[in-house]
Amino acid sequence: MHRWSELFIPTLREAPADAEVASHKLLVRAGYIRQLGAGIYSFLFLGNRSTQKIMRIVREEMDKIGQEFYLPALNPREIWEASGRWTVMGDNMFRLKDRKGADLCLGMTHEEVMTDIARKELRSYKQLPQIWYQIQTKFRDEPRPKSGLLRVRQFIMKDAYSFDIDAAGLDVSYQKHYDTYCRIFDRCGLKYMVIDAHSGAMGGSQSQEFMVRTPAGEDLVVSCEKCNYAANMEKAISKLAPVEDLKAEGDGQPLEVHTPGQKTIEDVARFLGVSPKNKIKTLAMMITEEDADAGAKTGKTRQRAVVLLMRGDHQMNEAKLSTAVGGKETRPMQEEEILALFHSPAGYLGPLGIDWAKNMEEPRKPILLVDKALEGRTNLIGGANKENYHVKNLTPGGSFHPTAYADLRAVTAGEDCPNCGAPLRIDTAVEIGHIFKLGYKYSESMNARVLDRNGKEVAPIMGSYGIGIERILTAAVEQSSDENGFWLPPSIAPFEVVVVSTNSKDEGIRTASEDIARQLEAAGFDVLLDDRDERPGVKFKDADLVGIPFRVNVGKKVTEDTVEVVRRSTLAREDIKISAITEYFQQLRPAAR
RNA sequence: CGGGACGUAGCGCAGCCUGGUAGCGCACUUGCUUGGGGUGCAAGGGGUCGCGAGUUCAAAUCUCGCCGUCCCGACCA
């Protein structure tokens, strides 16, 4: 039996000054974790018990669809060279040399090692599909570890990889993971949402993230309360209310108007007596791209102008822009660059009089990207590329020709859900899981090949699927805490019940506590008996702090065969007959587990 | 990497400006006390003041360098 008096559960009355977010403060105060360095944490008894339970759930569910491996965290440079990620990962990868001077690194993830096994061992389509997973420590030299366990440099991840003969097979493996992940997070008692994720620069492949709303989160998630629409800010869309276009003025051709000193959207709109919705916002950016003229793969780069047109009241999302230009890095133009292209100072920029690229493939010429919200709009007002002048009667596709239309707009809270029209909300959230159709990236770069039905050599198609073990714990704490502590779902709590002996000097109370704890344990519950010689107040405070969802207070009423059960989440208490205590918890169990 | 803050007992902090014996609360030890929300009293133990140089008769305190941690930003399949 687990007796508090014999355990090391170092609870703290005050949180360390370093701790900022609730989960960090509470996990330290509750004696779950201690910090060793920036983004490096030790797990003590309670913390380890909880993460072990999480891993058990993950294992049980993953074993239904895959096979568990255990791969090395220490990796030779070669396989990372093969995939091209030795360079790509940059300073985020921990690197070291062995005594012979050979380069090694600590694994940030295990596509390379898994694919290495696959390329050495898989020969035939008959061996596919395969789903291999492991639970392993990952190392990432984060530029800024923070928020306690949310962004760390060493953490445990369940990572899984699927190998299929074709895209249809990958769809099946992907769906299996989706279903498994839902079961895992349901069993862990988390309130989560699944969002469409930005699938990276390459695009195309499907990717979804499992997110938990919390103020401590670092990602922004757009979601609908009514239906299940949810998406990353980088992917989110919304339905816009229709806007009434202005009437054409004069002959309908672009018409210059004098707007002295009116630089901002608001100023111009007010000055001309129109809504910002009828204005064009012109954003001038630069991208760095490979210099194709210098010959392919010379590594030479050049700068290219990308001009964006947005509706006057809209904001641009940089990730969407990056996707629109094929994943290249973007930056705002500098003043000289603006003058060189527009021959006008900022504040009066517009699309007229510039020789735009006709399509994205056309090299050298500046790119004009127009946000989809402006597609089909007419008679807009934009800058004239002339100081103190704007232009009326601007119509995309008419008075000027965009290189392309693209979704560039950042969704804002309260806009309409694209599926059902209900208002959208935007929250910060933590990513606890990610499923991703990798495609052929690793099997091709690392040369994994199998023979298909026709005896033809083909690369298996891969998926990769991750779950952050500690993040499940952290998210659960964030989701269920108050200033006195937190309460975990019984399935991942270090103990399900804490039995508090309120007076260890009272023989009747002491023996009743022991009996109850023993009984519950015999019935299969994880029980912690607080048998310390402490005042009841101390024990209650600790019990509230350490994340155990149920508490049994054994007090004076033992003489009436009665104890008090307290539910930590609601602090609701009820008197229960000692003789009925096991039955009481057994009845609770289906809901509690 | 840019900006900012901090580093004094296990935790939270004061002392530093104005250089001279290192302090408070909690925790810990012992005794008594108390026993349903961090009980009270008493007596104790515990510190290379982050590290290194410099100034000075004398440095936690002033100067310089380094290290560490946190926050904002950049970054982050």
Side-chain angles (χ1 to χ4, degrees), chain A residues 17 85 109 143-144 151 505 535 544 551 564 573:
Chain A
R85 294 208 296 179
T109 169
R144 188 145 92 81
R151 182 163 287 271
K505 295 241 167 41
R535 306 250 323 169
D544 284 349
R551 182 168 106 212
E564 186 178 55
R573 40 190 75 203

mmCIF file of all heavy atoms in Angstrom, chain A residues 17 85 109 143-144 151 505 535 544 551 564 573, chain B residues 12-13 34-38 69 72 75-77:
data_model
loop_
_atom_site.group_PDB
_atom_site.id
_atom_site.type_symbol
_atom_site.label_atom_id
_atom_site.label_comp_id
_atom_site.label_asym_id
_atom_site.label_seq_id
_atom_site.Cartn_x
_atom_site.Cartn_y
_atom_site.Cartn_z
ATOM 1 N N ALA A 17 9.754 31.299 -8.542
ATOM 2 C CA ALA A 17 9.526 32.579 -9.218
ATOM 3 C C ALA A 17 9.636 32.454 -10.728
ATOM 4 O O ALA A 17 9.041 33.226 -11.466
ATOM 5 C CB ALA A 17 10.529 33.618 -8.713
ATOM 6 N N ARG A 85 18.295 16.311 -43.750
ATOM 7 C CA ARG A 85 17.898 17.106 -42.583
ATOM 8 C C ARG A 85 19.060 17.476 -41.665
ATOM 9 O O ARG A 85 18.871 18.210 -40.697
ATOM 10 C CB ARG A 85 16.803 16.379 -41.794
ATOM 11 C CG ARG A 85 15.522 16.275 -42.609
ATOM 12 C CD ARG A 85 14.288 16.219 -41.759
ATOM 13 N NE ARG A 85 14.218 15.029 -40.921
ATOM 14 C CZ ARG A 85 13.207 14.799 -40.084
ATOM 15 N NH1 ARG A 85 12.212 15.658 -39.974
ATOM 16 N NH2 ARG A 85 13.182 13.700 -39.368
ATOM 17 N N THR A 109 13.414 13.389 -33.912
ATOM 18 C CA THR A 109 12.291 12.595 -34.373
ATOM 19 C C THR A 109 12.943 11.427 -35.101
ATOM 20 O O THR A 109 14.159 11.402 -35.246
ATOM 21 C CB THR A 109 11.378 13.468 -35.270
ATOM 22 O OG1 THR A 109 10.429 12.630 -35.912
ATOM 23 C CG2 THR A 109 12.165 14.177 -36.355
ATOM 24 N N PRO A 143 15.238 27.330 -29.363
ATOM 25 C CA PRO A 143 15.837 28.653 -29.135
ATOM 26 C C PRO A 143 15.352 29.262 -27.817
ATOM 27 O O PRO A 143 16.091 29.968 -27.154
ATOM 28 C CB PRO A 143 15.365 29.484 -30.317
ATOM 29 C CG PRO A 143 14.401 28.661 -31.082
ATOM 30 C CD PRO A 143 14.480 27.254 -30.605
ATOM 31 N N ARG A 144 14.130 28.965 -27.479
ATOM 32 C CA ARG A 144 13.644 29.506 -26.215
ATOM 33 C C ARG A 144 12.712 28.523 -25.523
ATOM 34 O O ARG A 144 11.511 28.520 -25.766
ATOM 35 C CB ARG A 144 12.894 30.821 -26.442
ATOM 36 C CG ARG A 144 12.554 31.516 -25.155
ATOM 37 C CD ARG A 144 12.628 33.000 -25.298
ATOM 38 N NE ARG A 144 11.331 33.555 -25.665
ATOM 39 C CZ ARG A 144 10.380 33.784 -24.797
ATOM 40 N NH1 ARG A 144 10.565 33.509 -23.528
ATOM 41 N NH2 ARG A 144 9.245 34.299 -25.187
ATOM 42 N N ARG A 151 7.258 23.731 -23.702
ATOM 43 C CA ARG A 151 8.310 23.855 -24.719
ATOM 44 C C ARG A 151 9.633 23.540 -24.058
ATOM 45 O O ARG A 151 10.204 24.381 -23.362
ATOM 46 C CB ARG A 151 8.303 25.268 -25.316
ATOM 47 C CG ARG A 151 9.332 25.452 -26.421
ATOM 48 C CD ARG A 151 9.031 26.673 -27.252
ATOM 49 N NE ARG A 151 7.874 26.434 -28.095
ATOM 50 C CZ ARG A 151 7.940 25.910 -29.320
ATOM 51 N NH1 ARG A 151 9.089 25.600 -29.841
ATOM 52 N NH2 ARG A 151 6.847 25.700 -30.006
ATOM 53 N N LYS A 505 -3.775 10.141 15.676
ATOM 54 C CA LYS A 505 -3.695 9.727 17.079
ATOM 55 C C LYS A 505 -4.942 8.946 17.488
ATOM 56 O O LYS A 505 -4.958 8.265 18.500
ATOM 57 C CB LYS A 505 -3.564 10.965 17.977
ATOM 58 C CG LYS A 505 -2.270 11.706 17.732
ATOM 59 C CD LYS A 505 -1.431 11.739 18.983
ATOM 60 C CE LYS A 505 -0.012 12.180 18.718
ATOM 61 N NZ LYS A 505 0.143 13.288 17.778
ATOM 62 N N ARG A 535 -1.642 17.922 10.801
ATOM 63 C CA ARG A 535 -2.975 18.474 11.072
ATOM 64 C C ARG A 535 -3.857 18.240 9.849
ATOM 65 O O ARG A 535 -3.377 18.218 8.709
ATOM 66 C CB ARG A 535 -2.857 19.979 11.306
ATOM 67 C CG ARG A 535 -1.856 20.340 12.366
ATOM 68 C CD ARG A 535 -2.470 20.872 13.594
ATOM 69 N NE ARG A 535 -3.634 21.708 13.309
ATOM 70 C CZ ARG A 535 -4.460 22.114 14.253
ATOM 71 N NH1 ARG A 535 -4.260 21.736 15.501
ATOM 72 N NH2 ARG A 535 -5.473 22.883 13.956
ATOM 73 N N ASP A 544 -5.724 18.613 -2.099
ATOM 74 C CA ASP A 544 -6.283 19.478 -3.152
ATOM 75 C C ASP A 544 -5.251 19.812 -4.208
ATOM 76 O O ASP A 544 -5.579 20.055 -5.363
ATOM 77 C CB ASP A 544 -6.793 20.791 -2.538
ATOM 78 C CG ASP A 544 -8.112 20.610 -1.816
ATOM 79 O OD1 ASP A 544 -8.715 19.535 -1.966
ATOM 80 O OD2 ASP A 544 -8.520 21.540 -1.111
ATOM 81 N N ARG A 551 -11.154 12.097 -2.991
ATOM 82 C CA ARG A 551 -10.579 12.086 -1.648
ATOM 83 C C ARG A 551 -11.597 11.477 -0.699
ATOM 84 O O ARG A 551 -12.790 11.758 -0.800
ATOM 85 C CB ARG A 551 -10.293 13.522 -1.252
ATOM 86 C CG ARG A 551 -9.647 13.684 0.085
ATOM 87 C CD ARG A 551 -9.167 15.112 0.207
ATOM 88 N NE ARG A 551 -10.023 15.871 1.098
ATOM 89 C CZ ARG A 551 -10.293 17.167 0.981
ATOM 90 N NH1 ARG A 551 -9.839 17.848 -0.045
ATOM 91 N NH2 ARG A 551 -11.050 17.766 1.868
ATOM 92 N N GLU A 564 -16.463 10.754 4.455
ATOM 93 C CA GLU A 564 -16.871 11.786 3.513
ATOM 94 C C GLU A 564 -16.057 11.632 2.228
ATOM 95 O O GLU A 564 -14.839 11.520 2.285
ATOM 96 C CB GLU A 564 -16.579 13.140 4.157
ATOM 97 C CG GLU A 564 -17.070 14.324 3.394
ATOM 98 C CD GLU A 564 -16.746 15.610 4.166
ATOM 99 O OE1 GLU A 564 -15.562 15.816 4.503
ATOM 100 O OE2 GLU A 564 -17.676 16.375 4.434
ATOM 101 N N ARG A 573 -19.093 17.268 -1.727
ATOM 102 C CA ARG A 573 -18.813 16.217 -0.748
ATOM 103 C C ARG A 573 -20.085 15.491 -0.370
ATOM 104 O O ARG A 573 -21.156 16.070 -0.326
ATOM 105 C CB ARG A 573 -18.129 16.801 0.479
ATOM 106 C CG ARG A 573 -18.668 18.154 0.933
ATOM 107 C CD ARG A 573 -17.777 18.763 1.991
ATOM 108 N NE ARG A 573 -16.547 19.295 1.418
ATOM 109 C CZ ARG A 573 -15.424 19.478 2.123
ATOM 110 N NH1 ARG A 573 -15.383 19.162 3.398
ATOM 111 N NH2 ARG A 573 -14.366 19.972 1.542
ATOM 112 P P G B 12 11.946 30.291 -5.415
ATOM 113 O OP1 G B 12 11.545 30.440 -6.822
ATOM 114 O OP2 G B 12 13.362 30.443 -5.031
ATOM 115 O "O5'" G B 12 11.082 31.276 -4.519
ATOM 116 C "C5'" G B 12 9.673 31.348 -4.674
ATOM 117 C "C4'" G B 12 9.094 32.335 -3.702
ATOM 118 O "O4'" G B 12 9.318 31.871 -2.346
ATOM 119 C "C3'" G B 12 9.754 33.708 -3.718
ATOM 120 O "O3'" G B 12 9.276 34.512 -4.770
ATOM 121 C "C2'" G B 12 9.381 34.241 -2.347
ATOM 122 O "O2'" G B 12 8.032 34.665 -2.306
ATOM 123 C "C1'" G B 12 9.525 32.973 -1.490
ATOM 124 N N9 G B 12 10.866 32.876 -0.914
ATOM 125 C C8 G B 12 11.941 32.179 -1.389
ATOM 126 N N7 G B 12 13.007 32.297 -0.648
ATOM 127 C C5 G B 12 12.612 33.125 0.388
ATOM 128 C C6 G B 12 13.332 33.613 1.503
ATOM 129 O O6 G B 12 14.504 33.409 1.821
ATOM 130 N N1 G B 12 12.537 34.427 2.310
ATOM 131 C C2 G B 12 11.223 34.731 2.065
ATOM 132 N N2 G B 12 10.630 35.531 2.943
ATOM 133 N N3 G B 12 10.540 34.278 1.029
ATOM 134 C C4 G B 12 11.284 33.492 0.238
ATOM 135 P P C B 13 10.230 35.616 -5.389
ATOM 136 O OP1 C B 13 9.339 36.620 -6.001
ATOM 137 O OP2 C B 13 11.261 34.946 -6.209
ATOM 138 O "O5'" C B 13 10.949 36.229 -4.111
ATOM 139 C "C5'" C B 13 11.228 37.591 -4.030
ATOM 140 C "C4'" C B 13 11.150 38.056 -2.597
ATOM 141 O "O4'" C B 13 11.421 36.960 -1.689
ATOM 142 C "C3'" C B 13 12.206 39.087 -2.194
ATOM 143 O "O3'" C B 13 11.843 40.394 -2.624
ATOM 144 C "C2'" C B 13 12.198 38.963 -0.682
ATOM 145 O "O2'" C B 13 11.083 39.592 -0.112
ATOM 146 C "C1'" C B 13 12.054 37.447 -0.516
ATOM 147 N N1 C B 13 13.362 36.777 -0.371
ATOM 148 C C2 C B 13 14.085 36.983 0.822
ATOM 149 O O2 C B 13 13.604 37.711 1.688
ATOM 150 N N3 C B 13 15.279 36.387 0.975
ATOM 151 C C4 C B 13 15.765 35.599 0.011
ATOM 152 N N4 C B 13 16.949 35.027 0.210
ATOM 153 C C5 C B 13 15.063 35.376 -1.208
ATOM 154 C C6 C B 13 13.873 35.979 -1.358
ATOM 155 P P U B 34 -3.184 20.037 24.066
ATOM 156 O OP1 U B 34 -4.337 20.320 24.959
ATOM 157 O OP2 U B 34 -2.619 18.669 24.000
ATOM 158 O "O5'" U B 34 -3.572 20.494 22.595
ATOM 159 C "C5'" U B 34 -4.165 21.765 22.357
ATOM 160 C "C4'" U B 34 -4.298 21.989 20.871
ATOM 161 O "O4'" U B 34 -2.991 21.928 20.258
ATOM 162 C "C3'" U B 34 -5.102 20.919 20.144
ATOM 163 O "O3'" U B 34 -6.483 21.196 20.211
ATOM 164 C "C2'" U B 34 -4.560 21.026 18.717
ATOM 165 O "O2'" U B 34 -5.147 22.098 18.034
ATOM 166 C "C1'" U B 34 -3.088 21.359 18.967
ATOM 167 N N1 U B 34 -2.197 20.181 18.909
ATOM 168 C C2 U B 34 -1.741 19.790 17.661
ATOM 169 O O2 U B 34 -2.074 20.354 16.645
ATOM 170 N N3 U B 34 -0.916 18.702 17.659
ATOM 171 C C4 U B 34 -0.481 17.984 18.764
ATOM 172 O O4 U B 34 0.285 17.035 18.596
ATOM 173 C C5 U B 34 -0.999 18.450 20.020
ATOM 174 C C6 U B 34 -1.816 19.505 20.050
ATOM 175 P P G B 35 -7.513 19.990 20.307
ATOM 176 O OP1 G B 35 -8.830 20.582 20.621
ATOM 177 O OP2 G B 35 -6.941 18.945 21.173
ATOM 178 O "O5'" G B 35 -7.547 19.435 18.828
ATOM 179 C "C5'" G B 35 -7.991 20.289 17.774
ATOM 180 C "C4'" G B 35 -7.730 19.611 16.463
ATOM 181 O "O4'" G B 35 -6.343 19.196 16.410
ATOM 182 C "C3'" G B 35 -8.560 18.346 16.246
ATOM 183 O "O3'" G B 35 -8.918 18.223 14.880
ATOM 184 C "C2'" G B 35 -7.602 17.228 16.617
ATOM 185 O "O2'" G B 35 -7.848 16.030 15.917
ATOM 186 C "C1'" G B 35 -6.257 17.819 16.163
ATOM 187 N N9 G B 35 -5.138 17.269 16.933
ATOM 188 C C8 G B 35 -4.976 17.309 18.288
ATOM 189 N N7 G B 35 -3.899 16.713 18.693
ATOM 190 C C5 G B 35 -3.309 16.250 17.527
ATOM 191 C C6 G B 35 -2.122 15.519 17.349
ATOM 192 O O6 G B 35 -1.323 15.123 18.198
ATOM 193 N N1 G B 35 -1.891 15.240 16.011
ATOM 194 C C2 G B 35 -2.712 15.630 14.977
ATOM 195 N N2 G B 35 -2.312 15.271 13.750
ATOM 196 N N3 G B 35 -3.825 16.313 15.135
ATOM 197 C C4 G B 35 -4.066 16.584 16.437
ATOM 198 P P G B 36 -10.326 18.820 14.357
ATOM 199 O OP1 G B 36 -10.451 20.251 14.762
ATOM 200 O OP2 G B 36 -11.393 17.856 14.633
ATOM 201 O "O5'" G B 36 -9.951 18.743 12.787
ATOM 202 C "C5'" G B 36 -9.245 19.807 12.149
ATOM 203 C "C4'" G B 36 -10.064 20.281 10.965
ATOM 204 O "O4'" G B 36 -10.480 19.123 10.208
ATOM 205 C "C3'" G B 36 -11.346 21.026 11.324
ATOM 206 O "O3'" G B 36 -11.631 21.961 10.306
ATOM 207 C "C2'" G B 36 -12.405 19.943 11.266
ATOM 208 O "O2'" G B 36 -13.692 20.434 10.965
ATOM 209 C "C1'" G B 36 -11.878 19.096 10.114
ATOM 210 N N9 G B 36 -12.299 17.703 10.149
ATOM 211 C C8 G B 36 -12.089 16.787 11.143
ATOM 212 N N7 G B 36 -12.575 15.615 10.866
ATOM 213 C C5 G B 36 -13.156 15.771 9.603
ATOM 214 C C6 G B 36 -13.837 14.850 8.795
ATOM 215 O O6 G B 36 -14.076 13.669 9.025
ATOM 216 N N1 G B 36 -14.254 15.435 7.606
ATOM 217 C C2 G B 36 -14.032 16.740 7.262
ATOM 218 N N2 G B 36 -14.500 17.119 6.087
ATOM 219 N N3 G B 36 -13.389 17.617 8.007
ATOM 220 C C4 G B 36 -12.990 17.063 9.161
ATOM 221 P P G B 37 -10.774 23.324 10.155
ATOM 222 O OP1 G B 37 -10.194 23.721 11.448
ATOM 223 O OP2 G B 37 -11.581 24.273 9.359
ATOM 224 O "O5'" G B 37 -9.624 22.753 9.203
ATOM 225 C "C5'" G B 37 -8.258 23.146 9.400
ATOM 226 C "C4'" G B 37 -7.725 23.722 8.117
ATOM 227 O "O4'" G B 37 -8.109 22.854 6.998
ATOM 228 C "C3'" G B 37 -8.255 25.105 7.777
ATOM 229 O "O3'" G B 37 -7.211 25.840 7.153
ATOM 230 C "C2'" G B 37 -9.331 24.837 6.733
ATOM 231 O "O2'" G B 37 -9.521 25.916 5.850
ATOM 232 C "C1'" G B 37 -8.733 23.631 6.007
ATOM 233 N N9 G B 37 -9.701 22.776 5.329
ATOM 234 C C8 G B 37 -10.842 22.213 5.839
ATOM 235 N N7 G B 37 -11.468 21.477 4.966
ATOM 236 C C5 G B 37 -10.698 21.579 3.802
ATOM 237 C C6 G B 37 -10.880 21.002 2.514
ATOM 238 O O6 G B 37 -11.779 20.262 2.141
ATOM 239 N N1 G B 37 -9.864 21.352 1.645
ATOM 240 C C2 G B 37 -8.819 22.172 1.967
ATOM 241 N N2 G B 37 -7.929 22.401 1.009
ATOM 242 N N3 G B 37 -8.626 22.719 3.162
ATOM 243 C C4 G B 37 -9.604 22.378 4.018
ATOM 244 P P G B 38 -6.062 26.466 8.210
ATOM 245 O OP1 G B 38 -6.571 26.633 9.589
ATOM 246 O OP2 G B 38 -5.531 27.597 7.446
ATOM 247 O "O5'" G B 38 -5.016 25.290 8.296
ATOM 248 C "C5'" G B 38 -4.268 24.969 7.153
ATOM 249 C "C4'" G B 38 -2.856 24.605 7.548
ATOM 250 O "O4'" G B 38 -2.140 24.252 6.370
ATOM 251 C "C3'" G B 38 -2.085 25.752 8.202
ATOM 252 O "O3'" G B 38 -1.040 25.170 9.000
ATOM 253 C "C2'" G B 38 -1.448 26.424 6.971
ATOM 254 O "O2'" G B 38 -0.198 27.030 7.299
ATOM 255 C "C1'" G B 38 -1.152 25.228 6.077
ATOM 256 N N9 G B 38 -1.180 25.370 4.622
ATOM 257 C C8 G B 38 -1.734 26.285 3.781
ATOM 258 N N7 G B 38 -1.537 26.010 2.499
ATOM 259 C C5 G B 38 -0.803 24.822 2.525
ATOM 260 C C6 G B 38 -0.291 24.004 1.481
ATOM 261 O O6 G B 38 -0.393 24.166 0.262
ATOM 262 N N1 G B 38 0.380 22.907 1.962
ATOM 263 C C2 G B 38 0.547 22.615 3.288
ATOM 264 N N2 G B 38 1.212 21.535 3.574
ATOM 265 N N3 G B 38 0.071 23.350 4.292
ATOM 266 C C4 G B 38 -0.587 24.431 3.823
ATOM 267 P P U B 69 20.135 27.702 -18.242
ATOM 268 O OP1 U B 69 19.711 26.296 -18.342
ATOM 269 O OP2 U B 69 20.517 28.452 -19.455
ATOM 270 O "O5'" U B 69 19.008 28.534 -17.493
ATOM 271 C "C5'" U B 69 18.376 27.997 -16.348
ATOM 272 C "C4'" U B 69 17.494 29.030 -15.704
ATOM 273 O "O4'" U B 69 18.286 30.169 -15.301
ATOM 274 C "C3'" U B 69 16.425 29.656 -16.601
ATOM 275 O "O3'" U B 69 15.305 28.813 -16.769
ATOM 276 C "C2'" U B 69 16.099 30.921 -15.821
ATOM 277 O "O2'" U B 69 15.324 30.616 -14.680
ATOM 278 C "C1'" U B 69 17.491 31.346 -15.355
ATOM 279 N N1 U B 69 18.115 32.314 -16.282
ATOM 280 C C2 U B 69 17.716 33.640 -16.172
ATOM 281 O O2 U B 69 16.891 34.003 -15.364
ATOM 282 N N3 U B 69 18.322 34.503 -17.047
ATOM 283 C C4 U B 69 19.259 34.185 -18.006
ATOM 284 O O4 U B 69 19.720 35.083 -18.717
ATOM 285 C C5 U B 69 19.608 32.795 -18.068
ATOM 286 C C6 U B 69 19.039 31.933 -17.222
ATOM 287 P P C B 72 6.679 35.710 -22.691
ATOM 288 O OP1 C B 72 5.222 35.511 -22.767
ATOM 289 O OP2 C B 72 7.596 34.631 -23.093
ATOM 290 O "O5'" C B 72 7.068 37.016 -23.508
ATOM 291 C "C5'" C B 72 6.379 38.236 -23.314
ATOM 292 C "C4'" C B 72 6.971 39.321 -24.187
ATOM 293 O "O4'" C B 72 8.305 39.642 -23.716
ATOM 294 C "C3'" C B 72 7.206 38.934 -25.640
ATOM 295 O "O3'" C B 72 6.030 38.987 -26.424
ATOM 296 C "C2'" C B 72 8.243 39.952 -26.063
ATOM 297 O "O2'" C B 72 7.661 41.224 -26.274
ATOM 298 C "C1'" C B 72 9.113 40.013 -24.817
ATOM 299 N N1 C B 72 10.245 39.062 -24.911
ATOM 300 C C2 C B 72 11.355 39.444 -25.677
ATOM 301 O O2 C B 72 11.353 40.548 -26.228
ATOM 302 N N3 C B 72 12.396 38.588 -25.800
ATOM 303 C C4 C B 72 12.354 37.404 -25.197
ATOM 304 N N4 C B 72 13.403 36.602 -25.350
ATOM 305 C C5 C B 72 11.231 36.983 -24.422
ATOM 306 C C6 C B 72 10.206 37.843 -24.310
ATOM 307 P P C B 75 10.023 34.807 -37.518
ATOM 308 O OP1 C B 75 10.071 34.846 -38.987
ATOM 309 O OP2 C B 75 8.715 34.793 -36.825
ATOM 310 O "O5'" C B 75 10.866 33.550 -37.023
ATOM 311 C "C5'" C B 75 12.103 33.215 -37.639
ATOM 312 C "C4'" C B 75 12.752 32.087 -36.890
ATOM 313 O "O4'" C B 75 12.860 32.438 -35.489
ATOM 314 C "C3'" C B 75 11.955 30.782 -36.850
ATOM 315 O "O3'" C B 75 12.153 30.013 -38.023
ATOM 316 C "C2'" C B 75 12.495 30.102 -35.615
ATOM 317 O "O2'" C B 75 13.759 29.513 -35.876
ATOM 318 C "C1'" C B 75 12.691 31.289 -34.684
ATOM 319 N N1 C B 75 11.524 31.489 -33.800
ATOM 320 C C2 C B 75 11.439 30.718 -32.638
ATOM 321 O O2 C B 75 12.333 29.904 -32.398
ATOM 322 N N3 C B 75 10.376 30.892 -31.814
ATOM 323 C C4 C B 75 9.432 31.785 -32.104
ATOM 324 N N4 C B 75 8.415 31.915 -31.264
ATOM 325 C C5 C B 75 9.489 32.569 -33.293
ATOM 326 C C6 C B 75 10.538 32.393 -34.100
ATOM 327 P P C B 76 10.911 29.216 -38.646
ATOM 328 O OP1 C B 76 11.426 28.544 -39.850
ATOM 329 O OP2 C B 76 9.728 30.093 -38.742
ATOM 330 O "O5'" C B 76 10.609 28.106 -37.541
ATOM 331 C "C5'" C B 76 11.574 27.103 -37.243
ATOM 332 C "C4'" C B 76 11.095 26.288 -36.067
ATOM 333 O "O4'" C B 76 10.918 27.164 -34.936
ATOM 334 C "C3'" C B 76 9.726 25.638 -36.234
ATOM 335 O "O3'" C B 76 9.838 24.392 -36.905
ATOM 336 C "C2'" C B 76 9.263 25.471 -34.803
ATOM 337 O "O2'" C B 76 9.850 24.332 -34.204
ATOM 338 C "C1'" C B 76 9.848 26.717 -34.144
ATOM 339 N N1 C B 76 8.847 27.794 -34.029
ATOM 340 C C2 C B 76 8.008 27.806 -32.914
ATOM 341 O O2 C B 76 8.111 26.910 -32.062
ATOM 342 N N3 C B 76 7.082 28.796 -32.787
ATOM 343 C C4 C B 76 6.998 29.739 -33.726
ATOM 344 N N4 C B 76 6.080 30.687 -33.550
ATOM 345 C C5 C B 76 7.834 29.745 -34.877
ATOM 346 C C6 C B 76 8.741 28.761 -34.989
ATOM 347 P P A B 77 9.467 24.346 -38.491
ATOM 348 O OP1 A B 77 10.721 24.498 -39.246
ATOM 349 O OP2 A B 77 8.394 25.316 -38.677
ATOM 350 O "O5'" A B 77 8.878 22.908 -38.811
ATOM 351 C "C5'" A B 77 9.317 22.307 -39.970
ATOM 352 C "C4'" A B 77 8.195 21.628 -40.683
ATOM 353 O "O4'" A B 77 8.578 20.263 -40.849
ATOM 354 C "C3'" A B 77 6.865 21.580 -39.933
ATOM 355 O "O3'" A B 77 5.793 21.524 -40.860
ATOM 356 C "C2'" A B 77 6.976 20.284 -39.195
ATOM 357 O "O2'" A B 77 5.732 19.738 -38.848
ATOM 358 C "C1'" A B 77 7.690 19.410 -40.188
ATOM 359 N N9 A B 77 8.425 18.328 -39.576
ATOM 360 C C8 A B 77 9.713 17.950 -39.786
ATOM 361 N N7 A B 77 10.094 16.912 -39.104
ATOM 362 C C5 A B 77 8.994 16.589 -38.389
ATOM 363 C C6 A B 77 8.753 15.575 -37.463
ATOM 364 N N6 A B 77 9.670 14.692 -37.104
ATOM 365 N N1 A B 77 7.522 15.510 -36.937
ATOM 366 C C2 A B 77 6.607 16.414 -37.304
ATOM 367 N N3 A B 77 6.730 17.417 -38.151
ATOM 368 C C4 A B 77 7.953 17.440 -38.675
#
